[in-house]
């Protein structure tokens, strides 16, 4: 499978890389992340050009990383600067790749493409993660044995939740048929009046930078995810998923007790779902989850995250891997001629947009 290289990918969380080198595999490339003597994050190709030893098993030596096999040292440009053998001569070809990395609000971003095209201003805004006065935030990273697009498909179609997550983020008694609207403006203008005919609705938006799915539910039993935060029997929920290139999905949920009316926001939960391809059949699911209610209650935080872990790892993760197993080595969904539902619209559109971007990138590279 081909990947979009000229894009920012999540390589983990700032706390992942401290005083020891860390290995990552992204878009099929093995990388080593480490901090130099000033604490600056460095990303290099992990394979030593001498005997191809894994650099991440070495140690940081000042501003360089030292190969664990023969002690060659590489600086932040990937060039070998120390050869402890013989005359110490360093062949011109003795270097490894270097990658641009940025740290923003606890997230590590890496640029896998042409360095000249890297634009840090294009990095996803996650600034609320650092807003500890108004939000509590927790993160997790989970390896998934499936192609990364199966995860994006899942995030862009939340209608699966009533079937796959009845005991976690949705709730058994909430299952109804989804009414699908194609006219986003009309549905948005309609807002959330109580005289609406449908209790569960989905609609879509599309612009130059993102694809958006909206979900609205009224008068539903409060899902288990929200029980630790609010002890209300019924609630109204509005959620919005925004997909941005390459595989980053922002999922925002607004919750209110049923008696308060849907337009009176009680709590907001923001999830940054950052999906990073490892190779054709594996990816890493990075999630930063923030919410603005009971932010100082550690028991509530632990309870919420336990539900989230069950959802992401035990339920979603297990399903991704089973679907991939039935797809075999194939990562081209369309070649398998899947049936398509109305609610698949944005997931399919995201796949098509990415394919166009990859083809354009390949054409520009010659």
């Amino acid at each position: 499978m081909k990947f979009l290289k000229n894009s920012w990918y999540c390589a983990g969380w700032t706390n992942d890389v401290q005083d020891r080198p860390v290995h990552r595999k992204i878009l099929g490339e093995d990388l080593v992340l480490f901090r130099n003597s000033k604490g600056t994050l460095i990303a290099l190709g992990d394979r030593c050009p001498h005997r191809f030893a894994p650099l991440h098993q070495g140690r940081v030596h000042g501003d360089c990383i030292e190969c664990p096999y023969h002690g060659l040292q590489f600086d932040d440009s990937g060039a070998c600067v120390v050869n402890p053998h013989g005359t110490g001569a360093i062949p011109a070809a003795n270097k490894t790749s270097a990658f641009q990395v940025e740290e923003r609000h606890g997230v590590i971003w890496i640029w896998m493409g042409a360095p000249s095209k890297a634009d840090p201003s294009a990095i996803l805004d996650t600034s609320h993660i650092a807003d500890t006065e108004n939000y509590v935030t927790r993160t997790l990273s989970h390896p998934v044995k499936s192609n990364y697009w199966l995860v994006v498909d899942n995030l862009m179609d939340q209608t699966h939740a009533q079937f796959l997550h009845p005991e976690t983020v949705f709730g058994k008694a909430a299952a109804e048929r989804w009414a699908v609207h194609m006219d986003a403006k009309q549905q948005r203008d309609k807002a959330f009046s109580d005289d609406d005919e449908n209790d569960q609705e989905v609609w879509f938006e599309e612009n130059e930078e993102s694809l958006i799915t909206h979900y609205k539910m009224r008068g539903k039993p409060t899902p288990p995810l929200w029980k630790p935060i609010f002890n209300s029997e019924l609630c109204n929920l509005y959620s919005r998923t925004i997909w941005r290139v390459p595989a980053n999905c922002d999922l925002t949920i607004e919750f209110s007790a049923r008696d308060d009316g849907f337009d009176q926001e009680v709590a907001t939960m923001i999830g940054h779902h950052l999906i990073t391809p490892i190779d054709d059949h594996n990816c890493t699911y990075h999630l930063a989850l923030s919410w603005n209610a009971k932010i100082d209650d550690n028991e509530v935080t632990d309870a919420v995250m336990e539900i989230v872990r069950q959802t992401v790892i035990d339920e979603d993760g297990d399903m991704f891997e089973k679907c991939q197993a039935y797809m075999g080595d194939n990562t081209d969904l369309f070649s398998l001629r899947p049936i398509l539902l109305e609610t698949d619209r944005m997931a399919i559109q995201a796949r098509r947009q990415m394919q166009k971007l990859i083809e354009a990138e390949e054409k520009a590279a010659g």
Side-chain angles (χ1 to χ4, degrees), residues 256-358:
S256 67
R258 176 63 175 174
D259 294 340
D260 291 335
F262 201 92
D263 58 343
Q264 298 180 28
E265 181 182 329
V266 174
T268 299
M269 182 174 284
I270 305 171
H272 291 298
H273 302 253
L274 313 174
I275 316 306
T276 303
I278 296 175
D279 53 31
D280 286 355
H281 299 100
N282 296 273
C283 64
T284 306
Y285 193 142
H286 301 288
L287 170 62
L289 191 68
S290 308
W291 61 93
N292 64 354
K294 294 189 177 181
I295 65 175
D296 297 320
D297 191 324
N298 291 330
E299 289 187 4
V300 167
T301 299
D302 291 343
V304 169
M305 287 309 297
E306 180 55 36
I307 294 172
V308 170
R309 288 187 186 94
Q310 181 181 341
T311 304
V312 171
I313 298 175
D314 298 339
E315 296 171 355
D316 281 330
D318 179 66
M319 184 57 70
F320 302 148
E321 294 181 3
K322 288 176 177 175
C323 290
Q324 184 65 66
Y326 272 176
M327 291 175 67
D329 291 335
N330 199 331
T331 58
D332 181 0
L333 179 74
F334 299 124
S335 72
L336 297 174
R337 302 177 64 84
I339 63 169
L340 300 179
L341 308 178
E342 291 175 272
T343 48
D344 290 326
R345 178 178 170 180
M346 289 294 98
I348 297 301
Q349 187 66 0
R351 283 177 175 264
R352 289 173 174 161
Q353 283 196 17
M354 276 292 290
Q355 185 58 39
K356 290 180 181 178
L357 290 171
I358 292 171

Side-chain angles (χ1 to χ4, degrees), residues 83-109:
N83 171 14
H85 305 281
T87 64
I90 299 173
N94 196 354
K95 62 187 304 182
T96 187
S97 303
F99 299 85
Q100 183 168 340
V101 286
E102 298 282 340
E103 294 184 88
R104 302 286 179 84
H105 309 112
V107 185
I108 298 173
W109 297 97

Side-chain angles (χ1 to χ4, degrees), residues 104-121:
R104 302 286 179 84
H105 309 112
V107 185
I108 298 173
W109 297 97
I110 188 165
W111 181 266
M112 297 298 295
S116 61
K117 295 183 180 296
D119 179 8
S121 69

Side-chain angles (χ1 to χ4, degrees), residues 150-166 168-170 175 178 200 215 241 251 285 311-312 315-317 319-320 341 343-344:
L150 295 186
V151 185
V152 177
D153 289 342
N154 172 277
L155 291 166
M156 292 304 292
D157 180 13
Q158 296 296 307
T159 62
H160 74 274
Q162 67 194 61
F163 307 103
L164 190 58
H165 309 307
T168 52
V169 298
F170 203 86
W178 289 91
Q200 291 183 190
Y215 303 88
T241 304
L251 202 170
Y285 193 142
T311 304
V312 171
E315 296 171 355
D316 281 330
M319 184 57 70
F320 302 148
L341 308 178
T343 48
D344 290 326

